[in-house]
Amino acid sequence: MSAEDLRRSAAPFEALRPLADELARQWKGLLPGTHRLVLDDEQVHLTLYVADVERALPLIDTPADSVLLDGFSPRSNPQMWSPAVIKAIARLCRPGTGLATWTVARSVRDAL
């Protein structure tokens, strides 16, 4: 994903355009590692972990307000959706944490 992709994805949503522009200015792509970005006059702190989920999750100790899991389908990436991974994600969540994923597999929805 490029910085221009970020801007283009927010284009239909007027309210998101300023944040998308700010994010695009700081964007370095999805390079492996931990990326901390501060947006909207320090009101938004975005932490991106681009890593193997099984190795990265135990190292994270910050509670999450929202979690996006982009791990493909359980058939093509079963380790992403293992009980150990789901439990590690739950450890980071607090009441009200939002969860999102692209997969619609029933087993994933039930586990989450």
Side-chain angles (χ1 to χ4, degrees):
M1 172 182 295
S2 70
E4 189 52 41
D5 291 333
L6 291 169
R7 287 185 177 100
R8 193 173 32 257
S9 68
F13 309 99
E14 188 174 335
L16 293 180
R17 286 183 207 148
L19 281 172
D21 287 340
E22 192 175 355
L23 177 58
R25 283 192 295 275
Q26 296 182 46
W27 191 249
K28 294 178 177 68
L30 291 175
L31 300 172
T34 302
H35 309 277
R36 292 192 175 97
L37 307 173
V38 179
L39 309 166
D40 198 21
D41 292 323
E42 298 191 19
Q43 293 185 62
V44 176
H45 293 246
L46 176 63
T47 305
L48 300 171
Y49 297 95
V50 182
D52 177 80
V53 69
E54 292 175 310
R55 285 193 295 251
L57 277 173
L59 303 175
I60 300 170
D61 63 358
T62 304
D65 294 317
S66 62
V67 176
L68 170 63
L69 303 168
D70 189 8
F72 305 105
S73 77
R75 241 181 293 135
S76 63
N77 190 5
Q79 67 274 18
M80 171 74 188
W81 308 109
S82 71
V85 167
I86 299 298
K87 189 174 185 176
I89 292 166
R91 176 184 64 81
L92 299 172
C93 297
R94 52 184 156 200
T97 295
L99 295 171
T101 180
W102 290 105
T103 188
V104 295
R106 180 64 191 230
S107 61
V108 171
R109 289 186 298 161
D110 289 348
L112 291 174

